[in-house]
Amino acid sequence: MQDPQAAPDWLDRFGATMNPGLARVLRFMGLDEVEVTGSGAELIDHAGRRFLDCSGGYGVFLHGYRHPRLVEAARRQLDQLAMSSRVLLNPRTIELAELLAEVAPGDLQYSFFTNSGTESVEAALKFARAATGRSRFISTWGAFHGKSMGALAVSGRALYQDPFRPLIGDVTHVAYGSLEELASTLADDVAAVILEPIQGEGGVIVPPPGYLAGARRLTEQHGALLIADEVQTGLGRTGDLFAVNHEHVVPDLLCLSKALSGGIVPVGAVIGRPGVWEFFSEAPLIHTSTFGGNPLATAVAAEAIRVVREEDLVGQARAKGAWLLPALQEVARRYPTVLREVRGRGLMIGMETATAGVGGALMSELFHRGVVAVYTYNNERVLRLLPPLVIRPDQLEQVVERLDQAARAVAAMHLEEVGHAAR
Ligand code: PLP
């Protein structure tokens, strides 16, 4: 019998039953590989080819693929109770909430559990409205907070928003990184300012020092809340457990998802300060989710936090990022027609290409050399590198070496094009 995973027509079947447009794009890019398994920083396809996964499932695989402790935590919980009755309390859910209260910045204490990043943002927006009695939000251009209607409204890219106008709510966008714009836009009718501590999908934009602390001060002056969307940055990726910690900022609400799953079971969370949570006392069921906080997901998520601590993944992100960033910047200096800038913090790195057209070619050259790196959603000129924090030093060296080869190949194509144009 034919091995179903090796069937040659997965892309056709994907196009026929899921997304014909995306199938066309993938075919054009020559991306018809099928994933089968993974281990550590490696993703393995149907033909047994190994890829160094530098997009890390867009930030999900902080712990690497199939971390043994997380697989075991899932197995244990599956044998006991995967989903909750939602009538009786579940200890796994409470344990995760306790752990989050312990590790979260400042007095962030209460958790509401969701199943994805966009749901965490949705919940945070509702909680901010309930807590303040106000309805206006301030967000930033280039922000990415998810694609459900509320999260989409506070995201900052017309491409994803325009087909759905009018969007929900009263949202004002300001330039990311500018405290002046924030100060001149904030007023006493604003429920919350929502920010990513580092914009991920906007192209890995690290704000100027003092930005988050300044935003915190300004929101306090106006009685507005600060929502930190740490869906991509949370749990150690940037070299601190939370990226707001770099500026010792305690937001009123903090959104998590992606890495909290341990790469095993989807989960998300919003953590809030006691004052924000008061509305739950009057209406305990005002916001609910059937699957949110299910014991399977929360058992794995709690173990995922313990692994981050016990394996010092935060320290690993810091040390590996400190080696990788300058090494990539050195490659960029050698190929200025391909790479304009490499920036980031910890193991959250963006490589901005010299021209819009070059990104696809670089991505494809990297892929054919066994390195997975993909665009950021809101900035096609930036390839993101979000490798698992457990990536080994020798694997990081391979990433740099293959990037050098890929950039050289793309630079040669570029020279050829310039030559053709001149003839
Ligand atoms: N917020 C941020 C900062 C994100 O990076 C993302 C996803 O990339 C989301 C929210 C949305 O998460 P999800 O795709 O799980 O809905």
Side-chain angles (χ1 to χ4, degrees):
M1 207 180 97
Q2 192 189 24
D3 173 2
Q5 286 179 333
D9 57 351
W10 284 112
L11 190 54
D12 292 337
R13 290 161 70 180
F14 172 75
T17 55
M18 291 177 65
N19 192 328
L22 185 55
R24 272 195 300 278
V25 173
L26 294 175
R27 186 168 292 110
F28 176 74
M29 294 178 79
L31 288 175
D32 59 357
E33 275 78 3
V34 181
E35 62 191 9
V36 173
T37 186
S39 170
E42 281 187 334
L43 176 63
I44 301 165
D45 80 358
H46 60 286
R49 275 177 300 229
R50 290 169 177 270
F51 295 88
L52 285 169
D53 187 359
C54 283
S55 38
Y58 291 35
V60 165
F61 293 103
L62 188 99
H63 307 75
Y65 283 89
R66 296 189 306 117
H67 191 292
R69 279 180 59 179
L70 304 183
V71 171
E72 183 47 35
R75 286 215 177 98
R76 256 196 324 267
Q77 194 57 40
L78 264 180
D79 283 341
Q80 206 174 67
L81 189 70
M83 295 293 140
S84 166
S85 66
R86 301 210 67 87
V87 179
L88 306 195
L89 293 173
N90 192 284
R92 298 295 87 78
T93 315
I94 299 165
E95 280 164 2
L96 176 61
E98 287 173 346
L99 202 47
L100 285 171
E102 188 188 323
V103 300
D107 60 348
L108 285 164
Q109 179 184 344
Y110 292 101
S111 282
F112 179 89
F113 293 115
T114 70
N115 309 283
S116 66
T118 200
E119 281 175 71
S120 298
V121 170
E122 255 353 280
L125 297 175
K126 282 182 72 181
F127 297 177
R129 286 187 60 162
T132 60
R134 305 173 181 181
S135 59
R136 190 171 155 228
F137 289 96
I138 296 183
S139 181
T140 54
W141 295 115
F144 187 87
H145 297 295
K147 288 180 178 165
S148 54
M149 287 305 282
L152 184 68
V154 290
S155 289
R157 192 173 185 205
L159 176 72
Y160 301 126
Q161 293 175 315
D162 284 349
F164 304 103
R165 292 192 191 281
L167 293 164
I168 289 174
D170 186 359
V171 182
T172 310
H173 287 83
V174 295
Y176 185 72
S178 165
L179 283 177
E180 292 71 35
E181 272 203 34
L182 188 57
S184 62
T185 312
L186 251 168
D188 291 353
D189 62 343
V190 171
V193 173
I194 180 165
L195 293 175
E196 294 158 87
I198 294 175
Q199 274 193 344
E201 301 304 322
V204 188
I205 312 288
V206 183
Y211 179 61
L212 294 176
R216 175 70 285 187
R217 257 192 323 276
L218 288 169
T219 45
E220 274 167 2
Q221 281 165 16
H222 290 278
L225 304 186
L226 179 65
I227 303 173
D229 181 350
E230 294 238 22
V231 167
Q232 194 160 139
T233 51
L235 286 197
R237 166 129 330 261
T238 68
D240 209 319
L241 193 57
F242 299 97
V244 289
N245 292 355
H246 291 298
E247 293 205 355
H248 310 290
V249 161
V250 182
D252 299 291
L253 290 157
L254 187 146
C255 302
L256 287 178
S257 189
K258 292 196 187 274
L260 189 62
S261 71
I264 306 279
V265 187
V267 70
V270 191
I271 319 169
R273 301 172 83 176
V276 176
W277 233 249
E278 275 166 17
F279 67 93
F280 268 118
S281 305
E282 281 163 35
L285 299 180
I286 194 163
H287 193 70
T288 54
S289 162
T290 300
F291 290 127
N294 68 74
L296 180 60
T298 50
V300 174
E303 191 69 356
I305 296 173
R306 290 184 204 111
V307 168
V308 166
R309 281 168 139 187
E310 288 161 31
E311 296 189 4
D312 188 24
L313 294 190
V314 174
Q316 292 200 45
R318 214 178 299 133
K320 290 171 185 174
W323 181 85
L324 183 61
L325 188 65
L328 296 172
Q329 284 166 337
E330 184 52 41
V331 175
R333 264 192 291 280
R334 282 200 284 277
Y335 305 102
T337 56
V338 180
L339 287 167
R340 205 175 79 83
E341 190 185 50
V342 182
R343 54 178 177 256
R345 193 152 196 180
L347 281 180
M348 181 171 186
I349 293 177
M351 303 193 297
E352 182 160 340
T353 53
T355 60
V358 159
L362 188 62
M363 186 172 135
S364 164
E365 291 294 331
L366 278 170
F367 189 76
H368 294 302
R369 287 171 176 78
V371 176
V372 180
V374 293
Y375 297 126
T376 52
Y377 261 135
N378 286 352
N379 190 343
E380 285 94 352
R381 280 178 67 161
V382 178
L383 296 193
R384 92 202 45 225
L385 297 181
L386 301 175
L389 307 190
V390 296
I391 191 167
R392 297 191 313 262
D394 63 299
Q395 292 175 320
L396 285 178
E397 282 171 18
Q398 286 172 36
V399 170
V400 174
E401 200 178 302
R402 294 179 200 178
L403 175 70
D404 188 280
Q405 294 165 2
R408 192 179 318 146
V410 175
M413 283 178 218
H414 177 76
L415 272 183
E416 228 168 77
E417 274 165 28
V418 173
H420 278 306
R423 277 199 286 276

